[in-house]
């Protein structure tokens, strides 16, 4: 698995005080970390949230700061509406603006549907779907006043096509797609774009126990995705997708063509 790295910010037109601000939920590891570093590279100050790994989150914050951007790391359970509001409030207190929101925090609790207990169903729906709603609702109040904003929600090919053994996860990620499209239609008039990225198999802690060699045989590009592959797509949608909203961009090495 390649490690996300940070070089100097590509935008030197703004000082950290003037820079746009992005929030990345679940920014302490994996895809969220790569998105946080890529957005910092693109000249954003970045607020990351995390569930448990304070050390990892503080490392991401320090890496962003070393490169000259400002960062905050906030412990905030994605499944809590109050925590979502606190993240938005703390971001506004620190920076006074929210230009981009990346809803990335997510979990799996895989099992066959007939064996899936209520807790595993509920935890995945609460974190992966309800959490996206809570953060979007709180952030868009600010973005609507600004008349500007870009939101990218992490879904999955499991949410597009379904995956056996992942009824909870597939349902949560399919819900994110519906939420993304509805929000895109509601918010377009206020110049707020809402898109989703649907990764295939990406090399992170979430997929570390899967049979990599077997999976790679089924991927036309013959490799698992790296976190940077997803971060590039997310950064493109935020920084360059001016006329793109309501879309689901699959980044999966051609797995489901
Ligand atoms: P990961 O390596 O397991 O990292 C998950 C991140 O989310 C961590 O930063 C974690 O924080 C945070 N998090 C988990 N539960 C949280 C909660 N309740 N509140 C706040 N933060 C929470 O996952 P990943 O593979 O990077 O996946 C990121 C996103 O991409 C997820 O939405 C996932 O469903 C989606 N995705 C991944 C793949 C893949 O192949 N990896 C494929 C399709 C979609 P801590 O460090 O504090 O635990």
């Amino acid at each position: 698995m390649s490690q996300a790295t940070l070089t100097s910010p590509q935008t030197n037109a703004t000082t950290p005080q003037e820079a746009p601000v992005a929030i990345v939920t679940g920014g302490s590891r994996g895809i969220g970390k790569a998105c946080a570093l890529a957005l910092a590279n693109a000249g954003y100050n970045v607020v990351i949230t995390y569930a448990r790994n304070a050390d990892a989150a503080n490392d991401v914050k320090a890496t962003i700061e070393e490169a000259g951007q400002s960062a905050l790391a906030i412990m905030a359970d994605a499944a809590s509406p109050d925590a979502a509001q606190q993240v938005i409030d703390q971001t506004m207190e620190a920076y006074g603006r929210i230009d981009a929101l990346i809803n990335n925090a997510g979990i799996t609790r895989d099992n066959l549907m007939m064996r899936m207990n209520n807790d595993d169903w509920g935890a995945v729906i609460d974190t992966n779907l309800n959490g996206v709603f809570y953060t979007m609702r709180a952030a868009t109040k600010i973005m609507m006043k600004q008349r500007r904003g870009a939101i990218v929600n992490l879904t999955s090919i499991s949410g597009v096509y379904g995956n056996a053994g992942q009824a909870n996860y597939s349902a949560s990620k399919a819900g994110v797609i519906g939420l993304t499209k509805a929000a895109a239609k509601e918010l377009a008039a206020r110049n707020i774009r809402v898109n989703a990225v649907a990764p295939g198999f990406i090399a992170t802690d979430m997929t570390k126990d899967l049979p990599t060699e077997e999976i790679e045989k089924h991927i036309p590009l013959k490799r698992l995705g790296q976190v940077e592959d997803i971060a590039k797509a997310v950064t493109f949608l935020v920084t360059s997708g001016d006329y793109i909203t309501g879309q689901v961009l699959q980044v999966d090495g051609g797995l489901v063509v």
Side-chain angles (χ1 to χ4, degrees), residues 25-33 49-54 56-57 75-79 103-108 127-128 154-158 169 173 197-207 210 227 230:
T25 69
S28 48
R29 290 184 284 129
I31 292 168
K33 173 181 176 180
T49 72
Y50 63 97
R52 277 168 295 274
N53 282 306
M75 187 168 80
D77 179 5
N103 278 306
N104 163 83
I107 58 169
T108 52
T127 305
N128 296 7
L154 268 293
T155 176
S156 164
I157 54 168
S158 302
Y169 186 78
K173 294 299 188 180
V197 168
F201 289 99
I202 311 303
T204 68
D205 293 343
M206 188 177 270
T207 52
L210 297 179
V227 291
I230 305 304

Side-chain angles (χ1 to χ4, degrees), residues 28-205:
S28 48
R29 290 184 284 129
I31 292 168
K33 173 181 176 180
C35 290
L37 299 186
L39 286 163
N41 258 329
Y44 281 69
N45 293 327
V46 185
V47 176
I48 63 166
T49 72
Y50 63 97
R52 277 168 295 274
N53 282 306
D55 288 349
N58 285 324
D59 282 351
V60 174
K61 176 180 183 304
T63 307
I64 292 169
E65 288 169 346
E66 279 162 23
Q69 296 301 121
S70 174
L72 288 181
I74 304 173
M75 187 168 80
D77 179 5
S80 158
D82 292 343
Q85 188 59 53
Q86 281 163 20
V87 170
I88 301 307
D89 291 346
Q90 286 185 45
T91 303
M92 288 304 287
E93 205 172 299
Y95 300 110
R97 61 192 285 178
I98 301 170
D99 299 271
L101 167 65
I102 316 304
N103 278 306
N104 163 83
I107 58 169
T108 52
R109 297 275 188 278
D110 296 350
N111 212 334
L112 291 174
M113 191 174 63
M114 62 182 295
R115 293 190 191 140
M116 188 173 286
N117 63 40
N118 295 346
D119 285 349
D120 287 345
W121 173 266
V124 170
I125 298 292
D126 280 348
T127 305
N128 296 7
L129 176 58
N130 295 346
V132 175
F133 166 66
Y134 299 142
T135 318
M136 280 178 62
R137 181 177 58 184
T140 52
K141 282 185 192 140
I142 306 298
M143 290 178 172
M144 285 175 82
K145 283 189 201 141
Q146 295 174 169
R147 294 190 170 267
R148 181 188 68 253
I151 298 172
V152 180
N153 297 324
L154 268 293
T155 176
S156 164
I157 54 168
S158 302
V160 182
Y161 299 97
N163 194 23
Q166 287 197 310
N168 50 358
Y169 186 78
S170 301
S172 73
K173 294 299 188 180
V176 166
I177 292 172
L179 177 57
T180 298
K181 292 182 178 183
K185 289 182 175 176
E186 279 189 26
L187 298 168
R190 297 293 183 106
N191 193 30
I192 300 166
R193 298 180 299 101
V194 191
N195 291 291
V197 168
F201 289 99
I202 311 303
T204 68
D205 293 343

